Amino acid sequence: MVDGGQIFRTVANVVNKGVVPLLRHGGPVGAKLKESMAEVTYTGRKSGKEFTLVVGYRREGDTVTIGCVMPDAKTWWRNFLGEGAPMRLTLGDSTYDAHAVATRDADGTVTIRAQLASPR
C-alpha cells in the first residue's frame, strides 16, 4: 500500500533542497521567490534536531503568517502547538528570531503565526 504522507514528505524534501539554494543565492528566480517564500529553521521538540524548510508566508509588520497546506501529511507545525516555540525565519535577505504559535481551526486549517524579533 502506498503511503501518501510519505510520498508528500519525499517530494517536499526534494523541493526544499532545490528552493533553498535559490533563496540564498539570488538571481532573478531567487529574487522573485524571496517575495513570498521564507526559510524556517526550528528545533524538533522530540528529536532535538534542527530542521530547515521552505514555506509560503504573508507579513504584516512584525507578524508573519504561514498557512500549512495539507497539515495531516506534515508534522513540523505540531512543534508550535500550545504555547508555541522559537523559530528562525529568513525573509528576503534578513534573518529574524521569532516566536511561533500554531492553531488548528474546526475545519482542519492550520495557521502558524510568528512574532518577529529584531533582525540578526
Side-chain angles (χ1 to χ4, degrees), residues 34-52:
K34 286 180 183 182
E35 294 175 11
S36 62
M37 304 295 287
E39 267 186 70
V40 171
T41 302
Y42 67 95
T43 301
R45 281 188 187 177
K46 292 182 182 178
S47 70
K49 294 180 184 177
E50 187 174 90
F51 299 93
T52 299

Side-chain angles (χ1 to χ4, degrees), residues 72-105:
D72 292 329
K74 301 172 185 172
T75 59
W76 74 269
W77 59 270
R78 292 178 178 97
N79 288 282
F80 303 99
L81 288 170
E83 295 296 317
M87 72 166 47
R88 190 169 60 246
L89 278 164
T90 301
L91 309 170
D93 294 325
S94 299
T95 300
Y96 301 83
D97 290 322
H99 183 81
V101 178
T103 56
R104 188 169 201 157
D105 297 340

